Amino acid sequence: MTPLVTAAVLVAAGTHAGSNAIAHRITDKLVGPSLIAAGGVLIGLLLMPFAAVPAAAAWPYLIASSVVHVAYFALLMLSFRLGDFGQAYPIARGTAPLLVTLFAAVFAHEVPDAPAAAGTAVSCAGLAGVALWGLRGRRPDWAAIGAALATGLSIAAYTVIDGLGVRASGSSVGYIAWLMALQGLVIPGYALYRRHGELITAARPFAALGLFGATLSVLAYGLVLWAQTRTELAPIAALRESSVKSCSCGNNRTGQRLAPADGVLTPA
């Protein structure tokens, strides 16, 4: 991995953590993710005129990724409903790089060398440590752990799908624009179903903050997609999860369960 790619992924990790932090600053935990997702749709639509339309070979990946992202959001909400943030999120994000390594070897024929494999293992071990620290003094909630592992599987799936898709697209910007537009309507749609006419009133005071969070989210995943066109998938997946420690360690330290719409629900 070149210094430029490494820097891009580290910036992506930081901006992703910033987007998650903004989601937590918005007091209404259904409004926050909805605004960020809707903002992603808007940004994607604004980017489309300035980027090439993804090549035909990329569209199966775009559609598959959108479906898997829906599964990711659903599984993440289930994880937070069953368990606590400090346990579920590090498990979900920490298992993903190991699975990405496996999936990339099978589907992209990318077998990491010894240093890359060691780096992935160290990253995952660190995230496992965050999860275990969150469990101290309490019995494991196996239902929550199972949901978190399923969430990690969905993260790994869309990571590899998008890595292959962006390489086939011919345009990293075009791919992220269409991906945001396709998968970003799910959370706002769910929020409208749950809250009906109250959603607009509740969202209005946080509109600017939500748009800023959306900008960070799109930038974060756009940088990751660009990096995936420059190097192997597994090291990128491991490096970008460095944002998880900053997201997890300061949240929900009491071990309380979160409501279905609580937690970090920003895309990717």
Side-chain angles (χ1 to χ4, degrees):
M1 190 182 300
T2 67
L4 179 60
V5 172
T6 300
V9 178
L10 288 174
V11 171
T15 51
H16 182 63
S19 179
N20 288 336
I22 287 172
H24 280 288
R25 283 189 60 188
I26 298 175
T27 53
D28 188 317
K29 297 306 181 185
L30 188 56
V31 165
S34 299
L35 282 172
I36 291 175
V41 174
L42 176 61
I43 293 170
L45 293 174
L46 292 174
L47 286 175
M48 285 179 187
F50 305 99
V53 176
W59 282 93
Y61 296 105
L62 273 167
I63 295 170
S65 177
S66 299
V67 172
V68 175
H69 269 91
V70 173
Y72 160 70
F73 292 134
L75 287 167
L76 190 60
M77 286 190 288
L78 176 63
S79 299
F80 293 155
R81 185 165 65 246
L82 293 175
D84 66 82
F85 181 92
Q87 175 185 348
Y89 198 61
I91 291 173
R93 304 301 305 201
T95 56
L98 288 176
L99 293 171
V100 169
T101 302
L102 175 62
F103 293 164
V106 173
F107 297 106
H109 309 292
E110 296 178 357
V111 179
D113 56 20
T120 301
V122 168
S123 175
C124 293
L127 291 167
V130 172
L132 291 173
W133 182 255
L135 282 173
R136 64 194 184 281
R138 293 182 289 120
R139 295 181 62 183
D141 186 333
W142 295 112
I145 290 173
L149 290 172
T151 305
L153 176 62
S154 69
I155 294 169
Y158 74 63
T159 297
V160 174
I161 290 169
D162 285 335
L164 297 174
V166 73
R167 292 173 182 177
S169 71
S171 170
S172 299
V173 177
Y175 191 92
I176 188 67
W178 280 95
L179 179 62
M180 291 297 104
L182 288 173
Q183 59 94 11
L185 294 174
V186 175
I187 295 179
Y190 172 76
L192 284 171
Y193 170 76
R194 288 288 302 274
R195 300 282 287 275
H196 304 292
E198 299 176 1
L199 183 66
I200 302 300
T201 302
R204 190 175 292 114
F206 304 104
L209 190 60
L211 182 59
F212 180 53
T215 302
L216 293 180
S217 180
V218 173
L219 175 61
Y221 204 49
L223 287 170
V224 168
L225 289 175
W226 174 82
Q228 287 176 325
T229 66
R230 297 297 190 272
T231 192
E232 295 180 347
L233 303 178
I236 295 172
L239 186 58
R240 73 185 291 252
E241 300 307 346
S242 61
S243 67
V244 174
K245 296 181 181 65
S246 61
C247 291
S248 302
C249 295
N251 293 282
N252 202 35
R253 296 183 180 182
T254 63
Q256 68 187 60
R257 296 173 187 266
L258 298 178
D262 286 355
V264 177
L265 289 173
T266 56

